[in-house]
Amino acid sequence: MASTLRVYNKHKTYHRFVSRAGFVKKLDNRIFRCIMCVMRSQDFGQISRLSESFSEDENLEVFRRICFIRYFELKVKEASDKKLIKAPIYLSVGQESVAAALSMVYQQPKIFGQHRCHDVYLAYGGDPVALRDELLHRPTGCAGGMGGSASIHSPKIGMVGHDGLLGTQVPIAVGYALGKDSKEKILSIMGDAALEEDYVMAATAFAAFKKAPILFICLDNNLSVLTEVKVRRHWTATDLAKAFKMSAVEITDDPWLIMRHTAELQQNLPALLNIHVVRHLWHNGTGCDGPPEWDRFQMVKEELARIGLKEKSENIEKKTEEEVALIWQPEFK
């Protein structure tokens, strides 16, 4: 057990408790588990200097994907604010690093995403023009303009659109995996609230029992719309997975950390990766309730600068922003 526990309180301030020998042992198990449930930070599970174990090309490519998602989503926000988009939107601003990192190491899976999935679509090579058109409700959209933000569907990249019901993509993904004769890899993405649904738990347990080739990703932003995890349950995603005898890891949204653990977990599927993320904007729409807990995009830029890639990463960011601007330019005339 680590000697240091970080507890995230309702004022969104981190308090560090450095335990003396024996302090943790005296904690009642229930109290300890409550602490674990609310433990959340920008460096949870982080490995020092991990970025240095990846090649320059890998570091710059994952950053390019993060940039593309961030600037595309900001354009979606702009289009929504200008009333060009009529239907509800679910933006991925703040959690770009997860999809970008997954796509680097967990390649060509069948994808069962959730309602917030622009990032996954873009990271896995979805056509950004088709996504723009989908959000603008055009027949040239990736789902014919009928799915909208919450139901991004693309047979071209093996992505199955979400039906809008909380967590249903999980049992559908499990059924797909067990109905296939091939060893096709499956990627099933859910939020921390979806994991609490009984049918999600049952499907996850069945996947573990049947050794289904699925990587479950729980995007844990600590919120069910606005309700924090600590007032909803006293267990963690990894508790649940391990109870089903499934490999599971809980980490923050550092892209290098995600790549490292995904590469390991995909050797022993099914597995679950619970990732702490920060939703910068409202659950639905473009509103903002204030500064985010942390900004992984900025932290990745700082890490790239530390390892000597500042100039190259800045060039990538500039070119990517310009590329995205050209995609949206016809809509803002």
Side-chain angles (χ1 to χ4, degrees), residues 25-68:
K25 292 180 181 177
K26 293 179 181 178
L27 285 174
D28 179 272
N29 283 339
R30 290 172 299 176
I31 297 173
F32 176 66
R33 291 177 70 78
C34 286
I35 291 173
M36 291 298 289
C37 282
V38 297
M39 187 161 58
R40 162 185 170 82
S41 74
Q42 64 184 28
D43 56 1
F44 189 89
Q46 208 154 28
I47 300 172
S48 178
R49 306 174 78 92
L50 182 59
S51 62
E52 297 173 17
S53 67
F54 293 86
S55 70
E56 178 177 312
D57 287 347
E58 289 171 325
N59 284 327
L60 293 177
E61 177 58 24
V62 73
F63 179 65
R64 187 195 67 76
R65 298 183 191 191
I66 291 171
C67 285
F68 196 93

Side-chain angles (χ1 to χ4, degrees), residues 90-151:
Y90 301 87
L91 294 169
S92 306
V93 178
Q95 61 182 46
E96 304 89 349
S97 64
V98 178
L102 286 172
S103 66
M104 292 287 292
V105 294
Y106 197 69
Q107 298 175 348
Q108 298 183 321
K110 191 75 173 181
I111 303 167
F112 294 83
Q114 56 173 348
H115 60 285
R116 194 181 315 283
C117 60
H118 303 173
D119 50 351
V120 177
Y121 173 88
L122 293 170
Y124 274 95
D127 180 357
V129 174
L131 178 56
R132 179 202 66 190
D133 288 356
E134 182 63 32
L135 300 174
L136 295 170
H137 323 297
R138 294 172 177 163
T140 49
C142 57
M146 297 183 288
S149 178
S151 303

Side-chain angles (χ1 to χ4, degrees), residues 20 120 232 262 270 280 292 307:
R20 291 172 295 183
V120 177
R232 298 178 356 234
T262 299
H280 288 200
I307 60 177

Side-chain angles (χ1 to χ4, degrees), residues 230-304:
K230 66 182 181 182
V231 299
R232 298 178 356 234
R233 53 177 153 93
H234 67 288
W235 49 269
T236 68
T238 52
D239 284 341
L240 186 71
K242 290 177 179 177
F244 299 149
K245 302 186 186 308
M246 182 190 301
S247 298
V249 177
E250 182 163 0
I251 55 175
T252 192
D253 59 350
D254 176 286
W256 297 283
L257 202 56
I258 296 168
M259 289 192 284
R260 162 78 173 269
H261 284 290
T262 299
E264 293 175 353
L265 290 174
Q266 68 178 321
Q267 304 303 318
N268 185 31
L269 297 175
L272 183 143
L273 195 52
N274 190 76
I275 305 173
H276 299 175
V277 297
V278 177
R279 190 184 69 214
H280 288 200
L281 303 175
W282 284 354
H283 169 73
N284 162 232
T286 65
C288 178
D289 289 327
E293 292 172 74
W294 63 82
D295 186 349
R296 185 62 61 188
F297 184 55
Q298 183 60 37
M299 295 168 73
V300 169
K301 289 197 287 187
E302 292 170 359
E303 178 63 8
L304 291 173

